[in-house]
């Protein structure tokens, strides 16, 4: 999706004021020079505006425009922090409120106001800043991918290489990211040697939910591709399978070798560094050198190597280190493109004021707030069970039950509570099925690949035991019931209570590898 840029009034009006002041000074200087060249000095500045009063008038106009803009925005957004509106505004709001909403109890109205304020102050991202961040990430990653593709053509035909493009995935590109736009996920598709095709099938042995193995097929395999098999394959159950660990190790080294050319071309724009650890996708760390007004942010971009399967499906390294023997042969299936298509379809079918993405963002924010008050190992288990991918899957499952008209903005509290109860029931039953694998109830308009329709259904909660899921269900319900108290405990400035949470790319990889 193309980035949407909006006018930043906090930057625009000061620039206009400075420009007008400079023009006034220039006009005053030119008139003064004309007065010196003339015979009489009395008429030199007769029709001019003095410099100090003119600047004062411009400053007064700027302050008046800013005050009116803030006042208008305040009326559109509602009173901040749950403050009571004036009597006239309250009467007008009561007159314009539908009968169903007017009959809502005061407690529900107070909860809605608190959740709206929490979303506006702590969760909602500026489209302007997010658009600049995504554009900057796209330029840097594009430079790195092109350099890596050019260097990958040198070793010969029997080696891996980059396809030359990249796929943007994750919450930053699906309009439900929270906090700050400083973490991004990017798939980097790889190219197998000529005539060598990848064949994915569900793993029969133990492993994470939805684990796959990748076989290879070609005329004369593996006799004609012995060098490739020795470098990138592992033997499992008597078969040569493509190894995710070996591919990831090659990918890290290949990008590290190509980083010099990118660093040289981008040294005036930003500082670039590649962080890579064993068994983890490399992370590109970007620190801008020049301040782009409001977008001076340090960003981390996780570069995930992906094996294309066709139909916008990819195999990636498994989301977590499995405990099975020979884990290097296991892969995970990434269907981020299908998720983006589903989001676009829901946006077309749902009301224009639908709140389904806002519900997901608020639930993610409450999850993160509650995690700060939990001790280990409960905190880690809480984050793994209620990963962003699990929350998104629960939202999709609830949305497809319909009707979509019920997700209008005025039913925010009701829909959020329904989402919490649905997720609690899933945790108690220990069942939350993968949305695309083996799901025949999806809309036909999505045109899902045959591979997804014929795949075996996958339970995303199968990797967790019963006590862990029961504890997560109790904590989830308690977090929702105590939401006003949880939010009020973190009422400080925005960056103060988010500061203890490090960027997730710097931590150990978790189940969110499938995309937020």
């Amino acid at each position: 999706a193309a980035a949407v840029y909006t006018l930043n009034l906090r930057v625009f009006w000061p620039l206009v004021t400075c420009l007008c002041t400079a023009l006034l000074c220039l006009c005053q200087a030119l008139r003064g020079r004309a007065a010196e060249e003339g015979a009489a000095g009395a008429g030199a500045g007769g029709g001019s505006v003095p410099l100090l009063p003119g600047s004062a008038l411009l400053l007064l106009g700027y302050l008046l425009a800013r005050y009116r803009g803030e006042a208008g925005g305040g009326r559109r957004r509602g009173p901040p922090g749950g403050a009571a509106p004036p009597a006239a505004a309250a009467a007008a709001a009561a007159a314009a409120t539908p009968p169903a909403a007017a009959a809502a109890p005061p407690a529900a109205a107070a909860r809605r106001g608190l959740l709206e304020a929490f979303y506006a102050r702590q969760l909602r991202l500026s489209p302007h800043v997010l658009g600049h961040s995504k554009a900057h990430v796209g330029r840097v990653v594009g430079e790195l991918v092109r350099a890596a593709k050019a260097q990958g053509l040198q070793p010969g035909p029997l080696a891996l290489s980059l396809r030359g493009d990249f796929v943007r995935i994750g919450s930053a590109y699906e309009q439900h990211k929270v906090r700050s736009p400083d973490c991004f996920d990017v798939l980097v598709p790889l190219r197998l040697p000529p005539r060598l095709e990848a064949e994915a099938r569900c793993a029969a042995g133990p492993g994470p939910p939805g684990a796959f193995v990748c076989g290879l097929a070609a005329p004369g395999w593996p006799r004609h591709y012995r060098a490739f098999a020795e470098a990138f394959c592992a033997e499992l159950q008597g078969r040569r399978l493509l190894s995710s660990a070996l591919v990831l190790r090659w990918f890290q080294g290949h990008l590290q070798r190509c980083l010099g050319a990118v660093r040289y071309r981008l040294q005036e724009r930003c500082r670039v560094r590649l962080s890579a650890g064993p068994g983890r996708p490399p992370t590109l760390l970007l620190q801008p050198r020049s301040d782009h007004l409001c977008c001076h942010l340090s960003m981390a971009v996780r570069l995930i190597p992906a094996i294309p399967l066709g139909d916008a499906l990819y195999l990636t390294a498994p989301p977590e280190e499995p405990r099975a023997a020979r884990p290097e042969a296991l892969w995970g299936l990434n269907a981020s493109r299908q998720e983006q298509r589903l989001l676009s379809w829901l946006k077309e079918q749902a009301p224009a004021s639908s709140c389904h993405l806002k519900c997901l963002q608020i639930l993610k924010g409450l999850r993160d707030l509650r995690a700060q008050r939990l001790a280990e190992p409960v905190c880690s288990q809480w984050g793994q069970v209620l990963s962003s991918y699990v929350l998104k899957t629960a939202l999709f499952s609830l949305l497809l039950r319909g009707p979509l008209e019920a997700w209008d903005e005025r039913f925010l509290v009701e829909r959020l509570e329904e989402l919490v109860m649905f997720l609690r029931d899933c945790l108690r039953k220990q069942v939350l099925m993968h949305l695309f694998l083996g799901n025949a109830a999806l809309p036909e308009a999505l045109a899902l690949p045959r591979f997804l329709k014929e795949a075996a259904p996958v339970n995303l909660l199968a990797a967790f035991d019963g006590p862990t899921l029961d504890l997560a269900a109790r904590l989830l319900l308690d977090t929702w019931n105590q939401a006003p108290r949880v939010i009020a405990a973190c009422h400080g400035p925005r960056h103060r209570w988010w500061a203890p949470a490090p960027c997730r790319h710097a931590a150990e990889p978790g189940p969110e590898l499938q995309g937020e």
Side-chain angles (χ1 to χ4, degrees), residues 60 91 148 170 176 194-195 287 299 309 317 405:
L60 181 61
H176 57 84
R195 299 187 298 174
Q287 185 175 1
M299 291 170 285
L309 296 179
E405 290 75 13

Side-chain angles (χ1 to χ4, degrees), residues 175-258:
Q175 311 304 319
H176 57 84
K177 187 170 182 59
V178 297
R179 292 178 284 181
S180 177
D182 54 357
C183 297
F184 297 86
D185 287 336
V186 173
L187 289 183
V188 183
L190 306 180
R191 178 183 283 119
L192 296 175
R195 299 187 298 174
L196 192 61
E197 297 181 358
E199 296 180 345
R201 62 181 178 85
C202 187
F212 285 79
V213 293
C214 181
L216 299 171
W221 168 262
R223 181 168 52 90
H224 296 317
Y225 296 87
R226 182 173 303 173
F228 179 85
E230 293 177 354
F232 298 103
C233 292
E235 187 172 350
L236 182 64
Q237 298 178 352
R239 292 191 58 190
R240 286 276 186 144
L241 302 173
L242 190 64
S243 169
S244 59
L246 295 177
V247 170
L248 181 60
R249 189 182 308 168
W250 169 86
F251 183 73
Q252 292 174 348
H254 188 57
L255 289 186
Q256 192 69 49
R257 289 189 296 269
C258 301

Side-chain angles (χ1 to χ4, degrees), residues 144-426:
L144 180 59
V145 168
R146 284 190 292 269
K149 178 188 177 183
Q151 185 173 346
L153 298 177
Q154 300 174 4
L158 295 182
L160 284 175
S161 61
L162 270 66
R163 199 171 66 179
D165 61 335
F166 58 94
V167 182
R168 302 169 176 88
I169 65 172
S171 59
Y173 302 99
E174 296 174 358
Q175 311 304 319
H176 57 84
K177 187 170 182 59
V178 297
R179 292 178 284 181
S180 177
D182 54 357
C183 297
F184 297 86
D185 287 336
V186 173
L187 289 183
V188 183
L190 306 180
R191 178 183 283 119
L192 296 175
R195 299 187 298 174
L196 192 61
E197 297 181 358
E199 296 180 345
R201 62 181 178 85
C202 187
F212 285 79
V213 293
C214 181
L216 299 171
W221 168 262
R223 181 168 52 90
H224 296 317
Y225 296 87
R226 182 173 303 173
F228 179 85
E230 293 177 354
F232 298 103
C233 292
E235 187 172 350
L236 182 64
Q237 298 178 352
R239 292 191 58 190
R240 286 276 186 144
L241 302 173
L242 190 64
S243 169
S244 59
L246 295 177
V247 170
L248 181 60
R249 189 182 308 168
W250 169 86
F251 183 73
Q252 292 174 348
H254 188 57
L255 289 186
Q256 192 69 49
R257 289 189 296 269
C258 301
L259 188 61
V262 176
R263 185 183 291 114
Y264 173 75
R265 288 196 291 265
L266 300 174
Q267 60 182 355
E268 295 183 358
R269 184 186 305 167
C270 63
R271 288 188 290 271
V272 183
R273 184 168 61 90
L274 193 66
S275 173
R280 296 169 50 191
T283 300
L284 192 65
L285 304 177
L286 309 178
Q287 185 175 1
R289 291 182 180 273
S290 58
D291 192 350
H292 299 281
L293 296 179
C294 59
C295 305
H296 189 73
L297 293 175
S298 297
M299 291 170 285
V301 186
R302 184 166 52 173
L303 304 175
I304 307 172
I307 303 297
L309 296 179
D311 296 324
L313 291 174
Y314 300 92
L315 288 179
T316 61
E320 57 184 353
E321 190 71 18
R323 300 178 181 179
R326 311 307 295 267
E328 66 273 6
L330 298 182
W331 294 81
L333 184 69
N334 188 286
S336 296
R337 282 297 183 89
Q338 282 69 31
E339 295 172 8
Q340 294 172 3
R341 292 173 186 172
L342 178 57
L343 281 172
S344 300
W345 181 82
L346 290 172
K347 184 177 180 180
E348 295 175 356
Q349 302 297 322
S353 59
S354 178
C355 63
H356 60 280
L357 292 181
K358 183 185 290 188
C359 288
L360 179 58
Q361 291 172 298
I362 293 176
L363 188 55
K364 290 163 68 174
L366 292 176
R367 173 202 63 186
D368 296 339
L369 281 183
R370 188 57 186 264
Q372 295 181 2
R373 310 177 73 87
L374 297 177
E376 294 293 346
V378 179
C379 181
S380 299
Q381 295 173 352
W382 168 262
Q384 292 173 2
V385 172
L386 296 184
S387 66
S388 296
Y389 191 77
V390 168
L391 298 183
K392 184 169 61 174
T393 302
L395 175 68
F396 284 156
S397 303
L398 197 58
L399 279 168
L400 294 176
R401 292 184 175 186
L404 295 178
E405 290 75 13
W407 290 85
D408 191 84
E409 178 74 24
R410 63 181 185 273
F411 304 121
L412 172 67
V413 178
E414 291 82 355
R415 297 288 77 79
L416 189 54
E417 183 173 5
E418 183 181 7
L419 177 58
V420 170
M421 295 299 120
F422 173 78
L423 187 56
R424 182 205 60 177
D425 294 340
C426 292

Side-chain angles (χ1 to χ4, degrees), residues 449-487:
R450 181 180 178 182
F451 181 84
L452 293 179
K453 294 180 180 179
E454 297 179 352
V458 173
N459 181 13
L460 298 179
L461 303 179
F464 305 98
D465 54 17
T468 300
L469 296 179
D470 290 339
L471 177 60
R474 292 196 301 269
L475 288 176
L476 176 63
L477 185 60
D478 182 70
T479 302
W480 171 248
N481 292 332
Q482 303 295 329
R485 184 178 302 176
V486 173
I487 296 175

Side-chain angles (χ1 to χ4, degrees), residues 12-28:
F12 175 74
W13 286 114
L15 289 178
V16 170
T17 304
C18 295
L19 180 61
C20 293
T21 304
L23 292 177
L24 184 61
C25 294
L26 179 61
C27 181
Q28 189 76 9

